[in-house]
Amino acid sequence: METVYIAVQENAAPRVVYGAERLKRALAEQGYRVEERSGWSATNYRQLRGPKIYIGNRAESALLRELEEQEVLLYHTPAPEGEGFYLASVPGRLTVVSGGGDSGALFGCLELAERIRTEKRLPQRLAYGDAPVYKLRGPAIGLQKTKLEPPRRTYEYPVTPGRFPWFYDRALWLDFLDMLLEQRCNVVYIWTGHPFSSFVKLDDYPEALEVAEDEFRLNVDTFRWLAEEADKRGIWVVLKFYNIHIPLPFAEKHGLDLHQPKPLPLTSDYCKKSISAFIRAFPNVGLMVCLGEALQGQLYGEEWLTETILEGVEDGLRGLRLKEKPPIIVRAHAINAEKVMKAALPRYPNLYTEAKFNGESLTTYTPRGRWQGIHRHLASLDSVHLINIHILANLEPFRWGSPSFIQNCMQAGRYRLGANGLHLYPLFYWDWPYSPDKTEPRLRQIDRDRIWFAAWFRYAWNPDRDPRQEREYWISRLAERFGGREAGEAALEAYEASGECAPKLLRRFGITEGNRQTMSLGMTLSQLTNPERYMPWKELWDCQAPQGERLEEYVLRELRGEPHVGETPLDVIADVEHEADAAVAAIDRAQRAAGRGREELDRLATDVRAIRLMTYAYTNKARAAVDILTVKHTAEGKYADAAERLQSAVSFAHAGLEAYRELTALTERTYLYANSMQTPQRKVPFPNGETYGHWRDCLPVYEAEYERLAENVRELAAGRLPASLRKVEESARKPYRPAPFRLLSADAETYTVGKRAVIFSDGDLFIQEHAEELTGLTGIRFSQTEAMRQGVQVEIELPKPARVLVGYFNSSDPQWLQAPNLEENTHADDRGGLDPVLKNGMKVYFYPNLNVHAYLFEAGRHTLVFGKGAYLIVGVVPADERLERREVSYDGGGADSMDWLYESGEREATLR
């Protein structure tokens, strides 16, 4: 048994010591005797005759500095810095692990340990340097739940064993941290709403503590242990929180709302002291801040970050001796990131920005358009920019692990977006740590989805690895798992082929890349043929997809004989059916060849088959949609004459339904639910992710949809008008007549009211839906920021008496102009308009809906001053226009929406 002498630099950091321990373990596994020595110098290390290993941080190690100065240790790659390292065999049988920093020494130890295991001995000829490309690399997990706990609001969950038992499971944490170390991660992000009331106590605000004393002590002990265990593995723990959220007991004592839209001296003082106390208690924990949503980030993000958050961090750091200040990550969500970072960067050196890669799904590795521009702009600031692989709403709940797709994403993150950090969600975020598989006991995500984590972090370290070598690498990994090269190669092909289906289906047929849609549960025919009814998110196809055509655009180009541009629906149908079939064929080969790991391979096989069934449910329904949209644009209202083409749609819809029935039967055996976020925020295919959380919940609605389609087409073929069509035609409404006016204000402009019309002059916010009566009116837009800050004045001239239509956002938040009321203003009804003429008359994405009021003005010049707060002027109509008061329900359009084909005369509540 040969002895290897090993030495670590004096006063080494815990992560360097931990790396040495991992290295000693690898040596012992190969039969070496390991002896620790100290006091080595460039002149005496040769006195030990056997093989020797020295580990150090070259910025601090005297021995490494001597060897470099003597030119005994030379680098043929860039000299290691930070997390970089260099392994060298130098004269005197000395192997050197030279780390650019403490983490570099740790990662060098891991690399050497891996080589020892691979070669089954200590290598004798080493000259190898390596360093990560992405500066931050790690996963996000949530101290969050999907059900509200009134009176607490969104994201507000005190950390307790009852809510989050897994948080206190140290064995789980160690398995997770060891996995992250193996994959050379250096950060783990923990998401929560307001964590400080669970982890710190303040003398000035004792009422802010939201947990019992014993729970508080347990939280502090657990979190301190976690931070220390992570730190010695070279991993930052970063705690994410929302602004401005405050604890329930604090809010109740001071008479405040839980979510504050703008800073107050009291909330600033409380948050500043909370952050300061947190930093002192946990100095090796970073922070991630969301300055949007509750906080009016566009107005107050800069102030809140610099004057509250950073001041709290700086106060907490005073007197602490840290090699590196904790990272502070600013989430670029609902804020003016450039303005915020310009103010913050001079104050704090270790700042990062973060933005979503593909929204809340994974749809493409080539983001483009406005969203690409946002990333590139953030990356141009004097900080490090992170891409956030967020939520994965279209991949849930199946296994997904296409290494080539992931590698392309990480290359695009670097080269298309300019990013230098990775923030990765697990595949089933909201149910961490468990997977949704129907097993007993529950499967852990870190076991089920190991390829998901491994691939992202491998390419975060180096996205530019040779694709041919990478294929061999993944085949060997899967061969180890499933017992042979043939099984490993086939499993890889199944992962790669099935991995193409969900991204392509969603980006070409979906409503949104966000959490509103559970893609694996399918879509209704109405959602495919009349997506505007469901507030589609335009960025899905403008930014999170390659250039291409939506279903209706494709049909119109076909009918006009125009050339198609980019990816068409039929392209995707052909592609995904081919990939789904290839994936099933590959997984069949893998099952026949497997020598071990059969239980998990069988689960992967059921997933691959489920993805194929999901694919065919979509593609056949999309073919039906093409037929229906063709009829929409050619029938000219004579739908009975188009019955034959509609019968083709019935046939395709039936094929899609049969695939969905098989999918339901398969998933009934294999999955607890389809989506991890089972909340009312889920709208597509049906509202409420808890009520419609499994394929069995959706199947009856799809069956009823098909029966209505088939019955209505039978009616048309028999020459009869379906009752649902008669009802739609009887309920059509005409637009208001526009009244002439002249806009005199230089800082305002007119626009035409319609879907996608931009409503403010200082942003790209647009109309999603509006009452038919408003179609084509001339609105007036101005600065939303100015309206919120101080109010705006709009001057117009009317040649005749007219009514000005004003839209008030349905929210009591102070950023919005409030509709007048007689209790506060005795003149509120002088011009009429006290009550809305169109309740819910307009929908704007992410903003509250609007009520439309009508104010009567005589002919002449008028300066319209409605008060402070954002609002809309949506048109001017003649004084004698008949304005029927009604509450608008967005149940689709008229007969040409074609929704009457699938729905009864009365629309079901589930489809609203």
Side-chain angles (χ1 to χ4, degrees):
M1 180 182 293
E2 189 173 21
T3 299
V4 174
Y5 300 98
I6 191 166
V8 180
Q9 73 172 72
E10 293 183 0
N11 302 315
R15 64 188 62 174
V16 181
V17 174
Y18 189 73
E21 292 299 322
R22 297 289 292 252
L23 183 53
K24 285 187 280 186
R25 193 183 311 166
L27 289 165
E29 289 170 3
Q30 303 308 317
Y32 289 98
R33 180 189 299 113
V34 180
E35 288 190 18
E36 294 184 50
R37 294 297 176 93
S38 61
W40 293 7
S41 68
T43 57
N44 70 9
Y45 76 85
R46 289 174 175 268
Q47 295 174 4
L48 294 169
R49 298 291 182 182
K52 296 167 285 293
I53 300 174
Y54 179 80
I55 305 158
N57 172 347
R58 66 186 291 260
E60 300 175 355
S61 167
L63 176 56
L64 291 179
R65 187 163 53 251
E66 286 182 89
L67 292 175
E68 289 178 7
E69 290 171 352
Q70 294 175 357
E71 296 190 330
V72 173
L73 173 60
L74 298 171
Y75 305 114
H76 77 289
T77 62
E81 296 179 357
E83 293 181 307
F85 63 85
Y86 193 89
L87 306 180
S89 299
V90 302
R93 299 192 70 185
L94 175 63
T95 299
V96 169
V97 179
S98 175
D102 296 334
S103 290
L106 167 64
F107 293 140
C109 288
L110 295 183
E111 176 69 24
L112 182 55
E114 184 178 331
R115 289 176 178 237
I116 289 169
R117 290 190 177 97
T118 301
E119 299 181 26
K120 301 190 181 307
R121 62 183 180 85
L122 177 63
Q124 295 182 347
R125 294 187 302 277
L126 279 172
Y128 176 76
D130 200 5
V133 170
Y134 280 80
K135 187 169 183 178
L136 284 185
R137 311 167 303 280
I141 55 178
L143 280 168
Q144 296 176 335
K145 300 174 77 67
T146 61
K147 293 183 175 64
L148 297 182
E149 297 181 358
R152 290 187 172 90
R153 295 173 62 183
T154 308
Y155 305 131
E156 303 305 319
Y157 302 98
V159 182
T160 62
R163 291 183 178 90
F164 305 105
W166 61 265
F167 178 71
Y168 306 90
D169 186 342
R170 297 192 178 192
L172 170 67
W173 274 118
L174 289 176
D175 286 349
F176 189 41
L177 293 174
D178 284 343
M179 184 189 82
L180 299 184
L181 175 61
E182 174 191 332
Q183 295 162 3
R184 296 185 186 175
C185 294
N186 63 355
V187 62
V188 58
Y189 312 89
I190 301 178
W191 278 50
T192 183
H194 182 79
F196 308 113
S197 57
S198 296
F199 293 105
V200 296
K201 289 196 294 187
L202 301 177
D203 293 338
D204 291 347
Y205 301 103
E207 72 277 9
L209 187 66
E210 288 196 275
V211 297
E213 283 291 335
D214 59 334
E215 292 171 333
F216 171 72
R217 289 192 295 271
L218 179 61
N219 285 349
V220 171
D221 183 57
T222 302
F223 202 57
R224 184 167 289 130
W225 171 86
L226 170 62
E228 290 172 355
E229 287 293 329
D231 182 64
K232 74 182 185 183
R233 291 169 173 80
I235 297 170
W236 280 101
V237 176
V238 170
L239 193 62
K240 186 263 181 191
F241 62 101
Y242 284 86
N243 294 279
I244 303 173
H245 290 204
I246 55 178
L248 177 62
F250 177 86
E252 290 177 337
K253 176 175 179 178
H254 299 283
L256 297 173
D257 190 83
L258 278 168
H259 294 177
Q260 292 290 304
K262 66 178 183 179
L264 298 172
L266 176 64
T267 56
S268 179
D269 187 62
Y270 162 69
C271 290
K272 190 184 308 180
K273 288 176 177 174
S274 294
I275 292 169
S276 176
F278 182 83
I279 292 290
R280 286 195 299 273
F282 308 104
N284 50 351
V285 174
L287 296 174
M288 183 174 184
V289 300
C290 180
L291 299 171
E293 297 200 7
L295 177 68
Q296 296 176 26
Q298 296 284 5
L299 297 179
Y300 304 111
E302 172 192 353
E303 172 188 343
W304 188 253
L305 178 62
T306 57
E307 297 180 18
T308 296
I309 293 173
L310 292 185
E311 282 196 15
V313 171
E314 290 165 347
D315 183 68
L317 287 172
R318 286 191 184 95
L320 297 180
R321 291 180 151 183
L322 300 178
K323 285 186 177 181
E324 183 181 7
K325 289 187 176 182
I328 307 296
I329 303 169
V330 178
R331 189 181 182 207
H333 175 68
I335 62 169
N336 184 332
E338 180 178 17
K339 181 180 177 184
V340 167
M341 295 302 290
K342 183 178 180 180
L345 281 165
R347 294 282 301 271
Y348 196 80
N350 200 17
L351 280 177
Y352 299 76
T353 57
E354 173 267 350
K356 297 172 185 176
F357 181 68
N358 276 178
E360 294 175 341
S361 296
L362 187 62
T363 56
T364 182
Y365 43 79
T366 52
R368 62 190 180 92
R370 188 183 77 89
W371 201 243
Q372 180 191 15
I374 289 173
H375 279 281
R376 294 192 70 85
H377 178 69
L378 292 170
S380 71
L381 305 178
D382 292 328
S383 60
V384 174
H385 179 57
L386 284 63
I387 52 172
N388 176 5
I389 312 300
H390 194 83
I391 295 294
L392 295 317
N394 66 322
L395 305 187
E396 292 179 339
F398 306 120
R399 289 158 177 78
W400 197 96
S402 170
S404 64
F405 196 110
I406 293 170
Q407 183 176 14
N408 290 346
C409 288
M410 294 308 294
Q411 289 174 327
R414 184 183 183 194
Y415 299 115
R416 284 188 66 80
L417 306 184
N420 196 19
L422 172 66
H423 177 284
L424 177 74
Y425 268 55
L427 280 173
F428 213 69
Y429 171 80
W430 291 100
D431 207 16
W432 181 266
Y434 299 113
S435 82
D437 297 79
K438 198 172 186 178
T439 63
E440 189 58 45
R442 297 281 299 276
L443 300 179
R444 304 187 308 176
Q445 293 187 55
I446 61 174
D447 301 320
R448 188 194 88 150
D449 299 322
R450 189 166 287 262
I451 191 172
W452 167 263
F453 294 109
W456 284 103
F457 298 137
R458 179 173 177 82
Y459 299 122
W461 182 273
N462 179 7
D464 295 323
R465 301 172 192 265
D466 180 78
R468 291 168 296 182
Q469 294 179 5
E470 288 307 288
R471 184 172 186 275
E472 289 302 313
Y473 170 82
W474 291 109
I475 288 173
S476 67
R477 292 290 298 270
L478 291 168
E480 291 173 9
R481 191 169 192 184
F482 298 129
R485 178 180 173 84
E486 186 178 355
E489 186 172 23
L492 178 62
E493 290 178 15
Y495 269 123
E496 295 276 27
S498 64
E500 293 291 317
C501 297
K504 289 181 177 178
L505 287 171
L506 184 71
R507 74 194 189 200
R508 202 47 55 202
F509 303 124
I511 297 293
T512 175
E513 36 75 354
N515 252 328
R516 283 189 297 130
Q517 178 163 5
T518 304
M519 200 210 79
S520 65
L521 291 179
M523 293 171 65
T524 67
L525 280 167
S526 174
Q527 286 159 354
L528 290 170
T529 61
N530 188 19
E532 292 296 327
R533 174 179 163 189
Y534 304 90
M535 298 190 343
W537 184 237
K538 193 170 182 284
E539 287 195 350
L540 170 59
W541 54 92
D542 279 354
C543 299
Q544 317 299 353
Q547 181 64 259
E549 299 170 1
R550 302 279 286 169
L551 278 164
E552 191 155 17
E553 182 183 3
Y554 168 80
V555 168
L556 288 171
R557 285 180 180 273
E558 278 286 290
L559 293 174
R560 296 167 184 159
E562 296 174 354
H564 295 290
V565 178
E567 185 179 76
T568 71
L570 291 196
D571 290 338
V572 165
I573 287 171
D575 288 350
V576 295
E577 287 183 347
H578 171 78
E579 299 286 7
D581 291 344
V584 169
I587 205 65
D588 286 344
R589 295 198 308 273
Q591 285 183 294
R592 290 193 297 269
R596 60 175 174 267
R598 297 196 65 90
E599 190 174 11
E600 177 56 24
L601 183 62
D602 289 346
R603 293 193 189 104
L604 172 61
T606 60
D607 275 9
V608 169
R609 295 185 180 99
I611 290 169
R612 181 180 183 274
L613 291 169
M614 177 190 74
T615 297
Y616 275 89
Y618 265 99
T619 56
N620 280 294
K621 220 165 190 179
R623 289 185 177 102
V626 169
D627 284 332
I628 292 164
L629 288 167
T630 300
V631 169
K632 169 183 174 178
H633 291 287
T634 58
E636 297 180 343
K638 299 176 181 178
Y639 299 110
D641 295 346
E644 184 176 347
R645 183 65 185 259
L646 289 175
Q647 186 55 56
S648 171
V650 172
S651 298
F652 284 129
H654 184 264
L657 180 61
E658 286 302 305
Y660 198 88
R661 283 176 173 144
E662 289 186 56
L663 176 61
T664 300
L666 179 60
T667 53
E668 181 69 41
R669 302 194 311 270
T670 55
Y671 277 97
L672 296 170
Y673 25 70
N675 46 23
S676 63
M677 194 176 82
Q678 299 157 43
T679 67
Q681 283 93 327
R682 296 285 191 176
K683 303 294 185 185
V684 181
F686 310 114
N688 199 328
E690 186 172 22
T691 302
Y692 295 96
H694 197 282
W695 297 265
R696 63 173 173 267
D697 305 323
C698 302
L699 178 59
V701 188
Y702 288 135
E703 289 175 329
E705 173 194 63
Y706 170 75
E707 290 301 329
R708 285 191 294 270
L709 171 66
E711 175 60 28
N712 284 334
V713 172
R714 284 194 294 269
E715 289 281 291
L716 290 170
R720 295 187 292 269
L721 205 62
S724 57
L725 177 56
R726 291 198 303 272
K727 185 174 180 64
V728 168
E729 290 181 338
E730 290 166 0
S731 65
R733 295 179 183 274
K734 294 182 179 180
Y736 294 149
R737 292 174 295 143
F741 70 92
R742 189 158 67 100
L743 177 62
L744 304 175
S745 299
D747 52 357
E749 60 192 26
T750 60
Y751 68 97
T752 301
V753 173
K755 293 177 182 178
R756 304 292 176 191
V758 174
I759 57 174
F760 291 112
S761 61
D762 55 350
D764 55 1
L765 201 70
F766 56 82
I767 298 169
Q768 287 283 341
E769 296 278 358
H770 59 78
E772 298 99 311
E773 294 92 323
L774 303 178
T775 302
L777 291 180
T778 300
I780 300 172
R781 60 187 171 214
F782 39 79
S783 165
Q784 178 187 6
T785 302
E786 286 303 306
M788 290 191 295
R789 285 186 184 273
Q790 59 192 29
V792 294
Q793 297 183 9
V794 178
E795 189 173 3
I796 62 172
E797 184 175 17
L798 299 173
K800 295 180 179 180
R803 297 184 188 273
V804 176
L805 303 183
V806 175
Y808 294 90
F809 290 92
N810 281 313
S811 172
S812 59
D813 288 346
Q815 69 195 82
W816 312 117
L817 178 69
Q818 301 302 302
N821 63 78
L822 290 171
E823 285 75 16
E824 296 178 357
N825 180 5
T826 58
H827 302 284
D829 206 28
D830 286 358
R831 294 188 177 276
L834 183 67
D835 297 317
V837 294
L838 296 172
K839 293 184 69 174
N840 202 36
M842 185 175 288
K843 297 173 79 172
V844 176
Y845 196 73
F846 273 143
Y847 276 22
N849 291 354
L850 294 102
N851 291 338
V852 177
H853 297 237
Y855 297 95
L856 179 63
F857 289 86
E858 61 277 8
R861 288 194 174 198
H862 299 277
T863 300
L864 308 180
V865 182
F866 294 104
K868 181 180 177 181
Y871 66 98
L872 303 183
I873 296 177
V874 297
V876 181
V877 300
D880 61 354
E881 179 72 12
R882 183 173 178 270
L883 304 179
E884 178 187 350
R885 298 184 187 278
R886 71 183 184 99
E887 182 167 356
V888 181
S889 177
Y890 296 99
D891 285 339
D896 65 354
S897 76
M898 305 305 288
D899 284 349
W900 55 269
L901 262 176
Y902 338 117
E903 297 174 3
S904 61
E906 297 295 331
R907 299 193 188 278
E908 293 77 10
T910 56
L911 294 179
R912 286 179 186 167

